[in-house]
Amino acid sequence: MSDLTDSLKWELKKNPFFQELDEKTFNTLLQSTQPKVLKARQTIFHEGDPGGSMLMILSGKIKISTIAANGKECVLAFFGIGDVIGEITLLDGGVRTATAQAMEPSRILELTRNQFMSILESNPQIALKVIDILCRRLRATSRMVEDSTLLAAAPRLARTLLRLSRSHGIETDGGTLIDLPMSQSMLGAHAGLLRESVNRQLRAWEAKEILKRDDNKITILKIDILHELSENTS
């Protein structure tokens, strides 16, 4: 087995999707797929494109978004190493339900529907992992919709930052760094807020040293206060 395949095998074996595969099935999978290298801001697929495959992120970060009825972008989620995207079309064979774009140079591995169904025949426990992913993402989407409907700008933005800190946070000496290169417009599109509202609120929190910004990245300095702000539903 080549050094490249050995390296890819090592990467995949760390992912719960493949940990339970027998060696023969795993090697067959590796022989039928190749990693793809993406440039920053490269679109992987558009909403409405033909589907039929799931993508696993080997490195980098991917943004998932859709276009609302008013023409504005709605950022649904950000995914990183080990995450999978496109699981819905993998199961039903339908079109893509959102647009995926690389936020930075990234590597992905594509698993087609035919390959996946073949794996399921001998490894039905993999289906349970996909169901688990779907349930967790449905819950996350429901929370986002609830927040955008019921909360004012400050608690909504606070909850958004806390969610991002849990999924993409890195603990540093100064606080929790959200390791995502996000503009204020992108953060607003994710929180369901106008860029101006995001800018105003971030500046207010910076003045109170609740967080700090540096080169489109945010570090939460006082996460306990952000938790308090997130619970303000009045």
Short mmCIF file of all heavy atoms in Angstrom, two decimals, residues 5 19 29 36 40 47 78 88 95 124 130 168 174 185 197:
data_model
loop_
_atom_site.label_atom_id
_atom_site.label_comp_id
_atom_site.label_asym_id
_atom_site.label_seq_id
_atom_site.Cartn_x
_atom_site.Cartn_y
_atom_site.Cartn_z
N THR A 5 -1.85 6.25 0.48
CA THR A 5 -2.98 5.45 0.96
C THR A 5 -2.87 5.17 2.45
O THR A 5 -3.86 5.20 3.17
CB THR A 5 -3.07 4.13 0.17
OG1 THR A 5 -3.17 4.41 -1.22
CG2 THR A 5 -4.30 3.34 0.60
N GLN A 19 -14.40 3.31 11.76
CA GLN A 19 -13.70 2.56 12.80
C GLN A 19 -14.16 1.10 12.87
O GLN A 19 -13.39 0.22 13.24
CB GLN A 19 -13.91 3.23 14.16
CG GLN A 19 -13.12 4.52 14.30
CD GLN A 19 -13.43 5.25 15.60
OE1 GLN A 19 -14.37 4.90 16.30
NE2 GLN A 19 -12.65 6.28 15.91
N LEU A 29 -12.89 0.38 -0.18
CA LEU A 29 -13.34 1.77 -0.20
C LEU A 29 -12.21 2.70 -0.64
O LEU A 29 -12.40 3.57 -1.49
CB LEU A 29 -13.86 2.18 1.18
CG LEU A 29 -14.20 3.65 1.37
CD1 LEU A 29 -15.38 4.04 0.49
CD2 LEU A 29 -14.51 3.93 2.83
N LYS A 36 -9.88 15.14 -2.71
CA LYS A 36 -9.91 16.31 -3.59
C LYS A 36 -9.38 17.52 -2.83
O LYS A 36 -9.72 17.70 -1.66
CB LYS A 36 -11.34 16.59 -4.07
CG LYS A 36 -11.93 15.48 -4.93
CD LYS A 36 -13.33 15.85 -5.39
CE LYS A 36 -13.92 14.75 -6.29
NZ LYS A 36 -15.29 15.10 -6.76
N ALA A 40 -9.34 28.09 -1.21
CA ALA A 40 -10.19 28.94 -0.37
C ALA A 40 -11.27 29.58 -1.24
O ALA A 40 -10.99 30.04 -2.36
CB ALA A 40 -9.36 30.00 0.32
N GLU A 47 -26.78 24.68 -4.13
CA GLU A 47 -28.13 24.23 -3.81
C GLU A 47 -28.87 23.92 -5.12
O GLU A 47 -28.85 24.71 -6.05
CB GLU A 47 -28.86 25.33 -3.03
CG GLU A 47 -30.26 24.98 -2.61
CD GLU A 47 -30.91 26.09 -1.79
OE1 GLU A 47 -30.24 27.12 -1.54
OE2 GLU A 47 -32.08 25.92 -1.39
N PHE A 78 -21.05 25.59 9.89
CA PHE A 78 -19.64 25.52 9.53
C PHE A 78 -19.14 24.14 9.96
O PHE A 78 -19.40 23.71 11.08
CB PHE A 78 -18.83 26.60 10.24
CG PHE A 78 -19.32 28.00 9.98
CD1 PHE A 78 -20.15 28.63 10.89
CD2 PHE A 78 -18.95 28.68 8.84
CE1 PHE A 78 -20.61 29.92 10.68
CE2 PHE A 78 -19.40 29.99 8.60
CZ PHE A 78 -20.23 30.60 9.53
N ILE A 88 -27.84 13.87 3.41
CA ILE A 88 -29.25 13.72 3.01
C ILE A 88 -29.34 13.14 1.60
O ILE A 88 -30.05 12.16 1.36
CB ILE A 88 -29.99 15.06 3.09
CG1 ILE A 88 -30.07 15.54 4.55
CG2 ILE A 88 -31.39 14.94 2.50
CD1 ILE A 88 -30.74 16.89 4.71
N VAL A 95 -31.53 16.11 -4.90
CA VAL A 95 -30.63 17.23 -5.20
C VAL A 95 -30.04 17.80 -3.91
O VAL A 95 -30.53 17.52 -2.80
CB VAL A 95 -31.36 18.34 -5.98
CG1 VAL A 95 -31.89 17.80 -7.29
CG2 VAL A 95 -32.49 18.94 -5.13
N PRO A 124 -24.54 -2.46 8.69
CA PRO A 124 -25.75 -1.65 8.93
C PRO A 124 -25.60 -0.66 10.08
O PRO A 124 -26.35 0.31 10.15
CB PRO A 124 -26.82 -2.71 9.26
CG PRO A 124 -26.05 -3.91 9.70
CD PRO A 124 -24.80 -3.90 8.89
N VAL A 130 -25.32 7.77 10.55
CA VAL A 130 -25.90 8.80 9.69
C VAL A 130 -27.17 9.36 10.30
O VAL A 130 -27.42 10.57 10.30
CB VAL A 130 -26.20 8.23 8.28
CG1 VAL A 130 -26.87 9.29 7.41
CG2 VAL A 130 -24.92 7.75 7.62
N HIS A 168 -16.11 25.01 17.29
CA HIS A 168 -14.86 25.43 16.65
C HIS A 168 -13.96 26.22 17.59
O HIS A 168 -13.07 26.94 17.14
CB HIS A 168 -15.17 26.30 15.42
CG HIS A 168 -15.94 25.57 14.35
ND1 HIS A 168 -15.35 24.70 13.45
CD2 HIS A 168 -17.27 25.55 14.05
CE1 HIS A 168 -16.27 24.21 12.64
NE2 HIS A 168 -17.44 24.70 12.99
N GLY A 174 -5.73 33.52 26.68
CA GLY A 174 -6.56 34.71 26.78
C GLY A 174 -8.06 34.45 26.76
O GLY A 174 -8.84 35.33 27.10
N SER A 185 -20.44 40.24 8.06
CA SER A 185 -21.56 39.86 7.20
C SER A 185 -21.85 38.37 7.31
O SER A 185 -23.01 37.96 7.39
CB SER A 185 -21.26 40.23 5.75
OG SER A 185 -21.13 41.62 5.60
N SER A 197 -26.04 45.47 12.80
CA SER A 197 -26.40 45.06 14.16
C SER A 197 -25.27 44.25 14.79
O SER A 197 -24.95 44.41 15.98
CB SER A 197 -27.68 44.23 14.14
OG SER A 197 -28.77 44.99 13.67
#
